[in-house]
Amino acid sequence: MPVEKVTQVSQTKPWYGALSSKYGEALLKTPEPGLYGQYTYGIAGERFFREIKDNAKITGAKCQKCNLIYVPPRIYCERCFEGLEEWCEIENKGEIHTYTIGWVDLDGSRLEEPVILALVKFDGVYGGIVHKVEEISADNVKIGMKVSAVFKEKREGSILDIKYFKPI
Amino acid sequence: MFPKVAIVGIGYTPFRPITPDVSFREMVFEAASKAYEDAGVHPQEDIDSFVTCQDDFEHGRSIWNMQTPDNLGAVLKPIHTNCGDGILGLIDAYMQIKSGLRSIVAVETHSKASNVINRNHLIAHATDPIYNKPLNINPYFIAGMEMNRYLLETGTTKEQCALVVSKNKTNALFNPLAAYGEKITPKEVLDSEEMFSPLKRLDMSPMADGGIVMVLASEEKAKALTDKPIWIRGLGWCSEAPSLETREWGEAIYAKLAGEMAYRIAGIKHPRKQIDFAEVDDTFSYKEPQHMEALKLCRRGEAGSMIEEGATQREGEFPTNVSGGSLGVGFLVEATGPQRVLEVVLQLRGEAGGRQLPDVKVGLAQSWRGIPYASGAVMILSKE
């Protein structure tokens, strides 16, 4: 079997012994008060999430020059750098462009049930939405599969207002 | 009118899974001392300018790139700090010399990745805060999604990717600097735990610590300093859109464009014929064939069979990742690209010991910034 090497200093006990105990504790505990921040949704993000919250609809932004529709929408085209002013509604019917089956969580612990994660693209749209896929077993999911977003009943203007995508 | 630029000094610490014996400062001091000794220069007396490449928080501390002047001998001297892969730092130094602004420049990168307790959180923090991060998922899912699309578009197989792991870890056995050399079969790779299917645990390169310092010089200085200068012939760099939603998933466009730029500068028309060996990014097993195709070392969809046929082995027709790559050496964060350049320099100097390739004159080194980004750089070096 492959050799397993220690890759975390936290697992080398003597190392801590050379430092004050406070330092070790500070590494392992969430400090109070901690480092917090906020991130601005911006004009396009505001529009995208307001439509999701109010109407459970996906919004795109169109670049007339490149004939590209951006999802998520934005106020400039990443190709020609023109400003985008035309918003459009995207039909809630997408396709799995690629996916993976995740077996570990953010902390690195193994999940009891794997999670399916996918980039969902929409017809005629440049971009898409990265989200979970449910109501299908990991063995049956395929690239090219048609899926639609399942919205929460009570929405607050977040990507989590989409519960997941499900096969159509 | 513009001087040629050479690498005239190299210094490095062995790459290890953990380095509890030294602080990062002591590690860089060791690498820098070796590089200056190798080049025959003194940092305060001879070196005109310094470049350091570090990303924030990658070592458990913020505004990290400001931490290097003292351990590099660069206090009170001009220093450029660059938040990116170390090949970009070498490119920065190249431009300073090429333009005639400086004659001798030192470049530093290091990894003290073992200081970061849970890297997943760090990478998750680099994903989009409103569209991606709220999903609260392990960010390495990005590699699984990319591998899946790449395999589908090119017909490359999981078995061929497992061969890459086996090859690179075996190569690392011949590299005394490598942290993860071992004899391992493709079956062991395929039997390792599912992580982000189709990506298995052994398809992912483990982290390593280490420091690398290089000294670059103009033609005139290079010839005075050393009888074995390694010349920088071509260089290129490129970034795709940072958003997961609009980037390419099946093809490494950043590597393709960076490669085209480097080939143009080096005057290379047929990369496979004009280059003797390559060190390409293999942070994950599938990245090696994907990058080989992007760099036109074979046609798209052909890297898998090239690996199967043994062409990329140490004794093969086009040796690839003889150093062991990230899978065998360990992933060195921003020092990953410089480790590839280091291997090319050692091979071209004829100092690669048990893994020395015979009669090599031109080598290529390529880096990828790693998830969640689609960004990378290429450098072509030659003996003459």
Side-chain angles (χ1 to χ4, degrees), chain B residues 290-303:
Chain B
Q290 191 194 38
H291 284 143
M292 284 168 62
E293 290 165 7
L295 295 167
K296 299 175 186 166
L297 300 171
C298 59
R299 280 202 287 266
R300 190 153 144 80
E302 285 184 359

Side-chain angles (χ1 to χ4, degrees), chain B residues 167-168 170-175 178 276-280 288 312-316 318-325 329 339-340 343 347 352 354-357 360:
Chain B
K167 168 179 72 73
N168 292 0
T170 306
N171 282 347
L173 284 174
F174 297 87
N175 184 354
D276 300 317
F277 68 106
E279 287 279 316
V280 305
E288 180 173 307
T312 57
Q313 297 275 2
R314 195 154 49 94
E315 311 78 17
F318 195 85
T320 306
N321 289 335
V322 177
S323 71
V329 169
Q339 181 266 318
R340 304 319 174 81
E343 179 67 13
Q347 290 286 351
R355 64 187 189 286
Q356 180 65 50
L357 298 167
V360 283

Side-chain angles (χ1 to χ4, degrees), chain A residues 1-10 12 15 39 41 45 48-49 71-72 74 78 97-108 110 117-119 121 126-128 130-132 143 159-160, chain B residues 16-18 20 114-118 120-121 124 129-132 134-139 141 144-145 148-149 152 179-180 182 184 188 193-197 201-202 207 241 243-246 249:
Chain A
M1 276 306 289
V3 179
E4 300 296 339
K5 290 186 179 177
V6 177
T7 56
Q8 295 281 304
V9 170
S10 61
T12 60
W15 196 74
Y39 190 83
Y41 274 29
F48 181 71
F49 288 114
V71 172
R74 49 183 77 173
E78 70 180 32
H97 182 70
T98 188
Y99 72 91
T100 183
I101 301 156
W103 298 83
V104 291
D105 68 12
L106 187 52
D107 288 319
R110 292 203 79 77
L117 301 154
L119 170 62
K121 292 210 166 201
Y126 182 65
V130 175
H131 222 291
K132 295 176 185 179
I143 287 178
I159 199 71
L160 299 178
Chain B
R16 307 309 308 154
I18 54 172
S114 64
N115 274 1
V116 176
I117 303 286
N118 193 335
N120 300 336
H121 285 269
I130 57 174
Y131 297 112
N132 308 141
L135 294 170
N136 199 33
I137 46 183
N138 188 308
F141 82 96
M145 295 218 310
N148 209 6
R149 185 75 198 180
L152 177 93
Y180 296 96
E182 63 178 315
I184 185 174
E188 281 176 309
E193 299 96 305
E194 295 279 358
M195 292 297 279
F196 304 93
S197 313
R201 188 173 56 85
L202 293 175
M207 307 297 292
S243 64
L244 298 180
E245 292 81 7
T246 57
W249 285 84

Side-chain angles (χ1 to χ4, degrees), chain B residues 24-57:
Chain B
F24 99 88
R25 290 198 143 77
E26 292 156 347
M27 194 163 72
V28 172
F29 173 69
E30 179 185 331
S33 302
K34 286 178 180 171
Y36 303 153
E37 190 66 28
D38 186 49
V41 293
H42 187 277
Q44 287 287 325
E45 288 162 19
D46 305 312
I47 298 180
D48 303 320
S49 172
F50 298 81
V51 181
T52 179
C53 294
Q54 309 303 335
D55 201 352
D56 256 13
F57 294 109

